[in-house]
Amino acid sequence: ELEDQISTKSKTLDELKQSLAFSGSAVQTTEALSLRIPELCEMMDSIVSQVAQLKTSVQSIMEQWRVYDEGYTDVSLKTTRYLYCVKQCKPSVLSLESLKKQIKTLQ
């Protein structure tokens, strides 16, 4: 029975030691955090600045893509029209006889 009481007291003492160590580390952690707050604020300001720069860059790039897309659409349309005209103006089959007739007509 005495051994059980000693064992119980020993466990209670160990728990108190752990509790004290935890509260001591909590105080140290709070102090460490208070020292890191300015550093964290600097990091946050830096990130905000980088995001603003990135936003400006992305807006510029999006404007350039819009101009490119408009140009591409215009060129594509003109190319399609040109190919259509070429197909319409060019006879599908050229024969020697038809060429002779065209030459006579032109003369």
Side-chain angles (χ1 to χ4, degrees):
E1 192 175 290
L2 187 57
E3 288 179 5
D4 288 339
Q5 287 179 350
I6 291 174
S7 175
T8 305
K9 296 290 181 182
S10 176
K11 286 180 186 177
T12 305
L13 183 61
D14 287 340
E15 289 173 4
L16 286 172
K17 285 180 182 178
Q18 287 178 347
S19 175
L20 181 61
F22 178 74
S23 65
S25 68
V27 169
Q28 290 174 352
T29 304
T30 305
E31 290 173 2
L33 285 178
S34 67
L35 292 175
R36 290 206 59 209
I37 287 175
E39 180 183 342
L40 293 173
C41 287
E42 272 185 44
M43 292 170 78
M44 189 174 87
D45 290 343
S46 173
I47 290 170
V48 167
S49 172
Q50 290 174 4
V51 167
Q53 289 174 352
L54 183 61
K55 184 178 177 183
T56 303
S57 296
V58 168
Q59 287 174 341
S60 172
I61 290 169
M62 291 302 291
E63 176 63 22
Q64 291 173 3
W65 271 107
R66 186 189 62 74
V67 170
Y68 167 81
D69 194 39
E70 288 175 359
Y72 178 82
T73 302
D74 188 43
V75 168
S76 178
L77 180 63
K78 287 180 181 179
T79 302
T80 303
R81 286 181 181 165
Y82 169 77
L83 291 175
Y84 176 78
C85 289
V86 167
K87 281 186 177 181
Q88 296 303 317
C89 296
K90 186 176 170 184
S92 57
V93 177
L94 290 177
S95 67
L96 184 57
E97 289 300 319
S98 65
L99 288 175
K100 285 181 183 179
K101 286 181 185 177
Q102 284 180 358
I103 290 173
K104 284 181 184 178
T105 306
L106 291 173
Q107 288 176 348

